[in-house]
Amino acid sequence: MTARQIVSIWLPKLAIERWEKARPDSAAAPIALVSEGTHGLVIEAVNAAAQGAGVKAGGRFADARAICPELAAQPHDAEGDAALLERLTLWCRRWGPWSALDGADGLLIDTSGAAHLFGGEAAALADMTARIGAAGYSARAAMAPTAAAAWALARYADNPGVHLEDVAATLAPLPVAALRLDGATVLLLKRLGLKTIGDLAAVPREGLVRRFRNRRDPAANPLIRIDQALGRAQEAIPALETEPPQRAFARVAEPILHVSILLPVLEGLSERLSASLRKRHRGARRLGFEAFRVDGHVARLEAELARPTRDPAHMTKLFTERLEGLEAGFGFDAFALTALWHEALDAAQPDLSGEVADDALLAGMIDRLVVRLGRRNVRVPEPRESHMPERSVRWLSAVDADLASPPRAGPNRTPRQLPLPFHQRPLRLLDSPEPISVLYITPEGVPRRFTWRRAQHEVVRVEGPERIAPEWWREKSTARLRDYYRVEDEAGGRYWIYRNGLVGDGRGGAPDWYLHGLFA
């Protein structure tokens, strides 16, 4: 089994380097990025000139001006830094299937089982720092079996590098602050003479348990932190999964500038992802295609499927038409196809003729319609428990509808197919009934003529009425019963109209008429 390989990348100058990158013509004067604090401006980051003058981040701007009178203040854009770090975190998935933000200036990558694709652990780490450096940002990276150990090495080790063996000995000379402890706990340990992680590890475990037994916060409990660093305790980190991801990844020797030649790459990714899903008896319900540009931009496409599938041709077809919309810029040099959501999908047993009963054609058509028209524009009806026509059906997204399941049965479940014959209900039901004027012989007789949308219709045939009483448990007491008629006019048009109420029912004036549906 492959050991965990967690990479921690620290970008210590992210804020100031982003500010300088946006202002290439800025002078080399001392600059400090500041934010509003309780007692005045607080320095968040400084440039090289200010650092050379002795100004440090974390102090107050007024105090720094006493050291460096020419120091200038610029507002710190924390949200912009966070957005940049999030983009970098996604971009770093070119080296591993999962990555996560790590504070305001760092990120984590799970490269377990993927480092050999880049020439080994050391080569992968060097590639990361080189590419991030080429993008204009300073970075320190370390690889270790746990996220806590990688974090400590990236920030406090003289040579971060790859440290997958004997992590305890590697961490021993680092200061206790490398365990991500809060300031009060670090100060307490220093007063106790425990300055390094090795000093802390040498203390009998029972003594640490007794001293810190009331501290639940990991940042205030060195025992929890050292167990996390050495892998003796699990640490919940979003997006770092223990299960192998369903993902296919590919790199190309030369950046691809024309999206028209992406199709062979996508077909290869679909084949490999399909093989991975087949091996695990899974089928993809949501797919994500990522194209990594050399300048750090990640183009992403997603597709949602109506039923689980691992058909490579179908997966390719979902993205083929959308490849033209990608902006190649300086070129794509890496690609990934990921099953963002997958479900169990076992192989189907063929019958004696060798064919497999499958509804994949319908699901495939729905998938292509959703890709072209959007998820909200492809819907299917779902029967509901109500005898009022406008409430008897609701519309669901075709992707959410369980098309693969057989018609449901049982006292509390509604079958997919409507129980009424087609000829008793119109194929097209208006969203809301439209009022019409009707000519009739007697107040409760059948209609003889009606006017709808300024057009007059002579009724030549009529069936009904079908009386539908109001649902008293959900409607007001003034709701009236309906008498529905299926009528045909002289032009052959067939309509579904109803009279709302009866004469003298005590729930309003004279009955009014509505048109509710159209027959084929």
Side-chain angles (χ1 to χ4, degrees):
M1 180 178 177
T2 304
R4 295 293 298 273
Q5 299 172 347
I6 308 299
V7 174
S8 174
I9 298 179
W10 181 37
L11 300 105
K13 302 178 181 178
L14 176 72
I16 191 65
E17 287 176 344
R18 172 175 168 267
W19 186 88
E20 292 177 333
K21 193 174 181 181
R23 299 164 183 81
D25 299 331
S26 60
I31 298 295
L33 303 183
V34 299
S35 61
E36 290 287 346
T38 306
H39 303 290
L41 297 178
V42 178
I43 298 176
E44 301 292 346
V46 296
N47 65 353
Q51 190 173 10
V55 180
K56 297 181 180 178
R60 291 196 300 173
F61 181 74
D63 298 337
R65 287 294 293 271
I67 302 174
C68 181
E70 61 274 14
L71 181 66
Q74 295 291 335
H76 176 226
D77 182 12
E79 294 183 358
D81 294 344
L84 170 63
L85 188 59
E86 186 173 345
R87 292 197 298 272
L88 282 175
T89 304
L90 292 175
W91 182 64
C92 284
R93 290 186 177 179
R94 60 190 298 125
W95 292 292
W98 293 103
S99 60
L101 295 171
D102 186 19
D105 56 359
L107 57 95
L108 296 170
I109 314 170
D110 188 350
T111 60
S112 305
H116 68 283
L117 299 173
F118 305 92
E121 291 85 358
L125 216 57
D127 189 38
M128 295 175 194
T129 53
R131 287 180 178 271
I132 295 176
Y137 300 100
S138 305
R140 283 170 56 91
M143 180 183 294
T146 64
W151 188 95
L153 293 167
R155 287 159 176 79
Y156 289 91
D158 294 333
N159 299 305
V162 179
H163 300 278
L164 297 175
E165 305 293 337
D166 200 1
V167 179
T170 306
L171 296 178
L174 302 185
V176 290
L179 292 176
R180 297 174 294 167
L181 297 169
D182 57 30
T185 305
V186 171
L187 181 60
L188 173 62
L189 293 176
K190 287 183 178 179
R191 288 175 176 173
L192 295 174
L194 305 174
K195 299 181 179 179
T196 65
I197 296 177
D199 296 338
L200 186 63
V203 177
R205 186 176 182 85
E206 294 77 10
L208 292 176
V209 171
R210 187 165 51 252
R211 179 65 179 82
F212 298 98
R213 63 180 181 275
N214 294 326
R215 299 194 178 189
R216 304 298 182 187
D217 184 4
N221 192 320
L223 190 60
I224 294 177
R225 286 303 196 196
I226 198 169
D227 284 347
Q228 291 175 345
L230 300 181
R232 295 193 294 245
Q234 294 292 330
E235 182 179 6
I237 300 175
L240 286 177
E241 300 290 336
T242 56
E243 293 293 331
Q246 307 302 306
R247 187 177 194 243
F249 183 81
R251 289 190 300 163
V252 292
E254 295 292 335
I256 295 178
L257 297 175
H258 303 286
V259 295
S260 57
I261 58 177
L262 288 181
L263 186 58
V265 179
L266 178 59
E267 290 174 342
L269 291 175
S270 299
E271 292 285 352
R272 291 166 54 189
L273 181 61
S274 174
S276 177
L277 292 170
R278 186 180 298 106
K279 184 178 179 181
R280 294 168 175 80
H281 304 277
R282 309 288 290 181
R285 284 294 304 270
R286 184 180 299 148
L287 290 168
F289 175 70
E290 296 168 301
F292 298 87
R293 247 169 35 189
V294 295
D295 61 353
H297 175 75
V298 182
R300 308 188 70 187
L301 299 175
E302 288 192 10
E304 200 160 358
L305 292 83
R307 50 157 291 173
T309 185
R310 51 176 175 256
D311 180 7
H314 183 54
M315 292 192 289
T316 301
K317 193 176 297 183
L318 293 177
F319 295 105
T320 302
E321 298 179 356
R322 303 166 65 188
L323 292 179
E324 295 294 333
L326 300 181
E327 292 291 339
F330 295 101
F332 299 112
D333 64 342
F335 307 90
L337 183 64
T338 308
L340 301 173
W341 171 22
H342 49 82
E343 297 178 349
L345 179 61
D346 293 322
Q349 177 69 39
D351 57 18
L352 295 178
S353 64
E355 298 182 352
V356 178
D358 197 356
D359 57 353
L361 292 178
L362 174 61
M365 183 193 68
I366 290 175
D367 294 341
R368 292 193 293 275
L369 289 175
V370 170
V371 169
R372 292 185 179 184
L373 305 177
R375 176 190 177 95
R376 294 183 178 181
N377 296 323
V378 183
R379 301 183 299 169
V380 296
E382 180 77 351
R384 302 183 66 185
E385 296 289 349
S386 175
H387 57 265
M388 301 303 291
E390 63 270 26
R391 298 196 191 106
S392 61
V393 175
R394 66 174 177 175
W395 291 92
L396 298 176
S397 169
V399 175
D400 295 332
D402 190 8
L403 300 176
S405 65
R408 292 172 291 179
N412 299 324
R413 312 190 77 174
T414 307
R416 180 174 302 285
Q417 178 62 55
L418 290 172
L420 294 175
F422 286 112
H423 68 277
Q424 292 186 6
R425 287 288 187 271
L427 288 180
R428 181 186 176 190
L429 193 70
L430 302 182
D431 291 337
S432 59
E434 298 184 8
I436 58 176
S437 60
V438 176
L439 179 65
Y440 44 82
I441 298 178
T442 61
E444 297 185 4
V446 298
R448 295 302 184 190
R449 180 190 303 162
F450 69 92
T451 303
W452 176 52
R453 295 182 180 176
R454 300 181 181 180
Q456 195 172 80
H457 303 265
E458 294 288 341
V459 177
V460 296
R461 293 183 179 86
V462 59
E463 287 183 332
E466 176 190 357
R467 179 160 295 180
I468 297 178
E471 295 177 338
W472 53 267
W473 57 93
R474 64 174 53 163
E475 292 183 299
K476 297 180 179 178
S477 59
T478 55
R480 312 180 77 171
L481 60 81
R482 301 175 183 180
D483 282 338
Y484 277 87
Y485 294 91
R486 297 183 293 276
V487 301
E488 180 177 335
D489 64 5
E490 72 282 5
R494 303 179 67 222
Y495 306 90
W496 203 37
I497 65 177
Y498 72 86
R499 179 178 52 230
N500 189 43
L502 297 174
V503 176
D505 59 3
R507 298 183 178 182
D512 44 359
W513 289 78
Y514 295 88
L515 190 147
H516 204 167
L518 304 173
F519 291 91

